Amino acid sequence: MSALPNLRPPEQCRWDMVALGEVMLRFDPGERRVRNARSFDVWEGGGEYNVVRAMAKSFGLRGAIVTALPDNDLGRLADDLIAQGGVDRSHISWREADGMGRNTRLGLNFTERGFGVRPARGLSDRANSAASQMRPREIDWDRLFGDEGVRWFHTGGIFAALSSSTAEVAIEAVEAARRHGTVVSYDLNYRASLWDSHPDADAARRVNRAIAGAVDVMIGDGHGFETCLGIDVKKPKADSEVGLDPSAFAAAAGAFAALYPQAKVVAATLRRPSTASRNDWSAAAWSGGELHTAPVWADLEILDRVGGGDSFVSGLAWALMEGLSVSEAVAWGAAHGALAMTTPGDASMVSREEIAALLAGGDGRSIR
């Protein structure tokens, strides 16, 4: 039996997945540091966007992004990168820009990949971005979810935390999606630097609680449930209870499901880093009172960890949309995340066939 019996059939919908979130430009110094780089690779990325991009590019599904961009050359660059990612742009709102970034701008993200004992490091420059200025009732959600039709809607805590208005947009969106029978997934993705800037000190819990009541698939761990939702979770008592041990996650997921019984699946990645370049990696999902765990990739070599969690979400979502079991879906998600972290940039460069090969026992030998 499907974990998501309410999933709409594809012939009733224009879109398999729609994501709501900010799309930024990522400036990647490669093996260098931001502080002394002389050149950067430029990628597009965003916690919510990365998921729908992988659904389109890696899994061949119909995906669209709801966001806002400034109508200037940087916004048009982001738009061109989104197009290359195979994501529909018809629901992008364009903002008139004054040429100086005073009224609106595109968010920038400078990210060092890390190596060995030097951890990955991100530096965002995103204040006053076009996406952060999105307002309630700006998007015609009834047209999107009703007239066009969407099978799966994804958003997350990064977008909700951008501003007081984006928090209300996220709440409005998930409520509309649920009203139209669309599956809703939400990644808590807690960022203290974003939530701490809200004038309401309790904004994170107030907003995330409002969203959680409309979510079918929740992505988050014990720390996220406690910080974002105020759920009292069991604290790990020893090193054996952290990292890849799913017991703490299972307790947290059960506590979440007791408060939000409409949620069908609760999932999280499991990671134990020894260095920035080598991590033990897996994932777990809770559904119907049962815990399902993915294979463990011990001492996984990592080129760029950013986007690994988003790739997990897309692999999980694709498998559930295909009618696979929760156990199979969490394995697909973890395998996708493992492969995505072997390439640079936020977005996945992985094919569905490569994920299937890894799950079938493939290794790193050359393919010729």
Side-chain angles (χ1 to χ4, degrees), residues 122 124 126 157-163 187-205 208 223-224 226-228:
S124 294
R126 67 198 306 173
I158 294 178
F159 176 77
L162 291 179
S163 66
D187 191 338
L188 282 171
N189 248 338
Y190 178 70
R191 298 290 189 273
S193 58
L194 294 175
W195 286 112
D196 288 350
S197 65
H198 280 247
D200 177 6
D202 195 46
R205 291 186 177 181
N208 283 299
H223 175 71
E226 183 173 35
T227 305
C228 298

Side-chain angles (χ1 to χ4, degrees), residues 19 30 120 165 193 288 298 322 341:
S165 65
S193 58
E322 288 292 300
M341 291 187 292

Side-chain angles (χ1 to χ4, degrees), residues 21-23 67-69 104-105 129-134 159 162-163 166:
E22 180 172 30
V23 182
T67 191
L69 297 174
T104 194
R105 58 190 291 266
S129 69
S132 73
Q133 297 170 340
M134 293 179 70
F159 176 77
L162 291 179
S163 66
T166 60

Side-chain angles (χ1 to χ4, degrees), residues 10 87 99 123 178:
V87 177
L123 174 65
R178 191 160 188 84

